[in-house]
């Protein structure tokens, strides 16, 4: 089953309100095996609304409409639906009773505008709205289902969860759909595509692959469509196992995992501890770890050593090292990491030092130059990165790179944790 979502309201088009409804609806439909084909936003204009519905019906089995059901004159969706389905508005006594009861509980006197909420197109099935006065409306015409809902998010959600999704599941038109997302770090998108091309070309026809890159990672989403969900799950799992042979070090997690969360789980599983020394990242690495519950079990602490004086006093970076190599250098990064390891008495330590920007760069060390060191009691790894000129992105990417270096060192020393 293919669906289109139509959101109605000038407030969405001018950016006054963010369309969170479509994202939520799309996520829910996906769980029921319904593919969202298109999302359309239109003005509070009768001709535009009617045209959007007509166009959606040409390629969608399910048309979901949100907005324009309030009691004021600019809410015209019901009138447009009457015109589209060639019917008139009729009074629904159950809706009127619900509206009256709801307003009475709030000590609000009912007026004609409130009563008009109980007027519904005569060709629709009325869907009870437990959270508001505007009912949902279900139409069927030429093998297409049309559903109109309020634009208020919690009202729309209540209708979807209690009335719409259960009814869609029972109508026999939905098929199984199964998604798994593989999280990849440390390889550019173009190189990744080239690297896994043989695997991608051999995917079964019922599995689609999507590349979803952002500045933190690349997400590879496998979507399987068919009649039997168990078969889909089995085949997707098999394909992911095959993918691992192409990306033995780059795959770090799945679905909603984060690199900090996965690395923290490795530390917790191995009963290992971590200390952090941050200069250019300014505490962001510690923040990324502490976003995850249970981080107090492995993160002992962090030192934000922004100035050279703090590097020397708390991390015991040598003044001669700073003078000879500068704060942004391999040598200083290593001494910072070793200083954190010693000061915090941990199994592992991370250190970052760099030029986040937008100023402070030079020809030798341009903005975006970052040295990252990770040390343990037995090993050390240090790497220089050259990021871009955006300060926020440099901090974020430096933090992610540092955590990944830590993850790799943990697995190198503790392969049984994999």
């Amino acid at each position: 089953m293919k669906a289109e979502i139509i959101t109605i309201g000038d407030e969405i088009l001018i950016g006054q309100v963010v369309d969170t409804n479509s994202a939520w609806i799309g996520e829910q439909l996906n769980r029921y095996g319904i593919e969202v084909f298109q999302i359309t936003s239109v003005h509070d204009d009768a001709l535009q609304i009617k045209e959007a519905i007509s166009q959606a019906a040409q390629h969608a089995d399910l048309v979901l409409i949100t907005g324009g059901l309030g009691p004021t004159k600019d809410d015209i969706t019901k009138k447009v639906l009457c015109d589209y389905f060639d019917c008139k508005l009729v009074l629904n006594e159950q809706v009127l009773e619900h509206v009256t009861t709801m307003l009475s509980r709030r000590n609000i006197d009912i007026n004609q505008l409130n009563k008009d909420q109980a007027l519904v197109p005569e060709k629709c099935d009325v869907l009870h709205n437990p959270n508001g006065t505007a009912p949902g409306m279900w139409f069927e015409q030429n093998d297409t289902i049309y559903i109109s809902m309020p634009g208020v998010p919690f009202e729309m959600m209540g209708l979807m969860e209690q009335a719409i999704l259960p009814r869609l599941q029972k109508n026999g038109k939905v098929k199984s759909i199964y998604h798994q997302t593989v999280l990849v770090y440390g390889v550019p998108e173009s190189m990744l595509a080239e690297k896994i091309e043989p695997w991608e070309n051999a995917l079964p026809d019922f599995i689609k692959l999507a590349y979803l890159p952002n500045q933190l990672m690349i997400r590879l989403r496998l979507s399987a469509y068919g009649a039997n969900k168990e078969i889909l799950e089995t085949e997707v799992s098999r394909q992911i196992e095959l993918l691992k042979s192409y990306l033995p070090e780059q795959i770090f997690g799945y679905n909603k995992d984060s690199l900090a969360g996965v690395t923290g789980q490795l530390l917790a599983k191995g009963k290992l501890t971590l200390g952090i020394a941050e200069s250019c990242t300014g505490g962001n690495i510690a923040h990324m770890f502490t976003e995850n519950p249970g981080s107090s079990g492995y993160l002992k602490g962090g030192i934000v050593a922004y100035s050279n004086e703090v590097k020397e006093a708390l991390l015991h970076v040598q003044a001669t090292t700073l003078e000879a190599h500068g704060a942004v250098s391999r040598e200083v990064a290593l001494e910072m990491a070793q200083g954190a390891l010693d000061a915090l008495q941990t199994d592992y330590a991370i250190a970052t030092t760099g030029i986040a920007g937008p100023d402070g760069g030079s020809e030798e060390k341009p903005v975006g130059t970052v040295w990252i060191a990770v040390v343990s009691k037995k090993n050390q790894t240090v790497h220089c990165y050259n990021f871009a000129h955006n300060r926020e992105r440099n901090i974020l990417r430096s933090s992610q790179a540092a955590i990944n270096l830590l993850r790799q060192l943990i697995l190198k020393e503790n392969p049984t944790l994999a």
Side-chain angles (χ1 to χ4, degrees), residues 363-384:
E363 186 174 345
E364 181 184 0
K365 298 177 183 179
V367 170
T369 302
V370 180
W371 281 95
I372 300 172
V374 179
V375 300
S376 69
K377 295 174 181 177
K378 298 180 290 184
N379 294 290
Q380 63 182 36
T381 181
V382 60
H383 194 84
C384 182

Side-chain angles (χ1 to χ4, degrees), residues 22-323:
S22 295
W24 187 88
I25 292 171
E27 184 179 4
Q28 306 312 307
L29 293 180
N30 173 68
R31 293 177 180 175
Y32 282 74
I34 300 171
E35 181 183 3
V36 176
F37 183 85
Q38 186 166 302
I39 298 173
T40 303
S41 295
V42 296
H43 284 286
D44 292 306
D45 178 84
L47 289 176
Q48 288 197 26
I49 296 170
K50 187 176 179 180
E51 183 179 355
I53 296 171
S54 298
Q55 290 180 354
Q58 294 177 19
H59 52 248
D61 309 298
L62 173 64
V63 180
L64 291 159
I65 306 161
T66 67
L69 297 182
T72 55
K73 290 182 179 180
D74 60 328
D75 293 305
I76 59 174
T77 300
K78 286 193 294 188
K79 294 179 181 178
V80 174
L81 290 170
C82 282
D83 185 27
Y84 184 82
F85 291 105
D86 191 22
C87 64
K88 60 184 180 180
L89 289 172
V90 295
L91 181 68
N92 185 287
E93 294 292 346
Q94 290 180 324
V95 175
L96 180 60
E97 182 180 356
H98 170 68
V99 171
T100 303
T101 302
M102 177 169 279
L103 295 179
S104 176
R105 288 174 180 169
R106 299 175 183 173
N107 294 318
I108 299 174
D109 293 331
I110 190 168
N111 60 24
Q112 189 59 47
L113 290 175
N114 301 133
K115 292 178 181 179
D116 287 347
Q117 292 286 78
L119 294 174
V120 297
E122 62 181 344
K123 289 186 178 179
C124 79
D125 291 344
V126 174
L127 305 175
H128 175 63
N129 177 4
N131 299 322
T133 58
M137 293 168 286
W138 180 297
F139 303 83
E140 293 190 29
Q141 180 173 283
N142 299 328
D143 294 324
T144 299
I145 298 171
Y146 307 77
I147 302 170
S148 177
M149 300 172 285
V152 180
F154 83 99
E155 293 187 32
M156 176 275 296
M157 292 176 183
L159 276 165
M160 285 287 292
E161 291 173 340
Q162 297 179 34
I164 296 167
L165 291 172
R167 182 166 172 177
L168 287 171
Q169 191 175 32
K170 290 178 182 178
N171 75 357
K173 293 186 178 182
V174 298
K175 63 181 178 179
S176 294
I177 182 170
Y178 180 67
H179 294 289
Q180 276 285 76
T181 303
V182 180
L183 308 180
V184 179
Y185 181 85
V187 55
E189 184 181 10
S190 58
M191 292 179 63
L192 173 63
E194 185 178 46
K195 192 177 183 68
I196 67 173
E197 184 177 7
W199 170 83
E200 183 177 356
N201 289 340
L203 284 171
D205 292 340
F206 61 87
I207 296 180
K208 296 180 181 180
L209 178 68
Y211 291 78
L212 307 170
N214 61 34
Q215 60 184 331
L216 294 181
M217 70 186 85
I218 298 174
R219 295 176 294 159
L220 297 175
R221 189 187 66 223
L222 287 84
S223 302
Y225 303 86
N228 189 308
K229 190 171 184 179
E230 290 184 3
I231 293 175
L232 301 182
E233 290 179 3
T234 299
E235 182 59 26
V236 168
S237 296
R238 190 179 78 85
Q239 291 298 332
I240 290 175
E241 287 302 313
L242 293 173
L243 179 62
K244 288 179 181 178
S245 64
Y246 289 85
L247 304 167
E249 295 183 0
Q250 290 84 10
I251 293 175
F252 70 86
Y254 304 92
N255 300 317
K256 295 185 178 181
D257 286 341
S258 68
L259 192 52
V262 168
T263 305
Q265 290 171 14
L266 292 176
L267 290 165
K269 186 177 179 181
K271 298 182 179 179
L272 303 166
T273 55
L274 173 66
I276 306 172
E278 301 186 61
S279 182
C280 62
T281 50
N284 192 59
I285 298 174
H287 168 69
M288 292 174 78
F289 276 111
T290 55
E291 283 186 312
N292 299 282
S295 56
S296 60
Y298 52 82
L299 179 60
K300 292 188 71 173
I303 298 170
V304 178
Y306 218 63
S307 70
N308 287 348
E309 291 80 8
V310 174
K311 291 179 177 69
E312 292 179 45
L314 298 183
L315 297 173
H316 305 294
V317 175
Q318 298 298 308
T320 53
T321 305
L322 288 163
E323 184 176 351

Side-chain angles (χ1 to χ4, degrees), residues 329-390:
S329 63
R330 172 191 178 91
E331 292 77 12
V332 169
L334 280 170
E335 288 191 19
M336 287 175 65
Q338 188 61 52
L341 193 77
D342 295 338
L344 299 170
Q345 292 293 293
T346 56
D347 297 300
Y348 293 91
I350 294 173
T352 61
T353 179
I355 306 167
D359 303 316
S362 65
E363 186 174 345
E364 181 184 0
K365 298 177 183 179
V367 170
T369 302
V370 180
W371 281 95
I372 300 172
V374 179
V375 300
S376 69
K377 295 174 181 177
K378 298 180 290 184
N379 294 290
Q380 63 182 36
T381 181
V382 60
H383 194 84
C384 182
Y385 295 87
N386 296 105
F387 297 125
H389 295 279
N390 182 283

